């Protein structure tokens, strides 16, 4: 299988907007998200900023052969005490999960944006927590720290890709 990571141009932003419906559907298992009267999930807040703030927000599609397998949204953080980059959203279609595509894409993004990273999961999303601990652990040779948000209980992993090279 040929894998590819593509930064999404403004002209193709609708692809991520549409995929966001699938992503939000998956999240109904972990968060209270409801459909509107047209049968759609709410618009993802700030999604258009990924095309209006170059150098600060980075939208990607993940491909398996010529098929879209997922997407990633990466932010450059303003507060350097939190890190340089934040994996804001990361989604792999169910048919491609457990195939190594997600790990490959995450590693590609970590290598592309060298610096200090933060990755957070929802407290109740245990599969995502397992995935990120494994992926980050492998990439950093277990050189990361995990902090649980005191109020919300969401775990975040912090690591430096300078040290992982």
């Amino acid at each position: 299988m040929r894998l590819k990571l593509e930064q999404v141009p403004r002209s193709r932003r609708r692809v991520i907007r549409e995929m966001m419906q699938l992503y939000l559907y998956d999240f109904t298992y972990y968060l209270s998200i409801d459909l509107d009267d047209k049968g759609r999930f709410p618009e993802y807040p700030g999604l258009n900023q990924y095309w209006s703030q170059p150098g600060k927000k980075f939208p990607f599609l993940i491909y398996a052969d010529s098929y879209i397998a997922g997407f990633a949204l990466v932010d450059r953080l303003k507060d350097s005490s939190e890190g340089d980059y934040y994996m804001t959203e990361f989604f792999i279609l169910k048919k491609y999960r457990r195939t190594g595509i997600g790990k490959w894409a995450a590693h590609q993004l970590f290598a592309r944006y060298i610096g200090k990273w933060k990755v957070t999961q929802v407290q109740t999303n245990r599969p995502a927590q397992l995935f990120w601990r494994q992926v980050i652990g492998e990439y950093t040779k277990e050189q990361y720290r995990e902090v649980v948000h005191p109020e919300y209980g969401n775990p975040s992993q912090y690591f430096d890709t300078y040290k992982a090279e």
Side-chain angles (χ1 to χ4, degrees):
M1 186 174 343
R2 199 184 85 230
L3 304 178
K4 183 172 95 172
L5 187 66
E6 172 190 76
Q7 193 160 356
V8 181
R10 177 181 290 277
S11 63
R12 297 202 57 226
R13 67 182 176 214
R14 185 167 184 85
V15 176
I16 289 183
R17 175 169 277 112
E18 295 299 324
M19 289 184 70
M20 195 59 76
Q21 292 291 300
L22 301 171
Y23 180 71
L24 292 172
Y25 169 77
D26 276 5
F27 257 84
T28 62
Y29 190 74
Y30 308 108
L31 299 173
S32 179
I33 305 171
D34 293 305
L35 294 170
D36 65 18
D37 60 350
K38 295 177 184 162
R40 293 190 56 82
F41 289 105
E43 287 291 319
Y44 181 85
L47 186 60
N48 283 330
Q49 293 175 5
Y50 283 87
W51 293 275
S52 65
Q53 296 185 18
K56 294 180 182 176
K57 295 188 175 279
F58 311 96
F60 288 91
L61 286 174
I62 302 160
Y63 287 87
D65 293 322
S66 60
Y67 300 103
I68 297 171
F71 70 83
L73 301 177
V74 176
D75 283 21
R76 177 125 175 113
L77 293 172
K78 296 174 191 173
D79 180 3
S80 61
S81 69
E82 284 285 295
D84 300 313
Y85 298 100
Y86 182 57
M87 186 70 74
T88 309
E89 305 297 348
F90 189 88
F91 175 66
I92 301 293
L93 290 167
K94 284 188 179 184
K95 81 179 260 183
Y96 294 109
R97 292 179 192 167
R98 301 184 187 279
T99 65
I101 292 171
K103 177 177 83 169
W104 175 86
H107 286 192
Q108 292 293 307
L109 289 165
F110 299 155
R112 182 178 291 212
Y113 298 106
I114 301 295
K116 295 177 182 175
W117 276 81
K118 176 183 177 183
V119 179
T120 301
Q121 302 86 50
V122 172
Q123 177 187 22
T124 54
N125 192 342
R126 303 279 187 241
Q129 292 169 30
L130 283 171
F131 171 80
W132 286 112
R133 287 175 184 137
Q134 289 174 346
V135 167
I136 293 166
E138 182 179 312
Y139 190 83
T140 66
K141 299 177 180 68
E142 303 300 326
Q143 299 301 306
Y144 70 93
R145 67 184 172 92
E146 184 167 299
V147 176
V148 175
H149 191 280
E151 185 178 347
Y152 303 113
N154 298 333
S156 295
Q157 296 79 32
Y158 295 85
F159 58 100
D160 191 336
T161 57
Y162 285 118
K163 296 176 182 176
E165 292 183 73

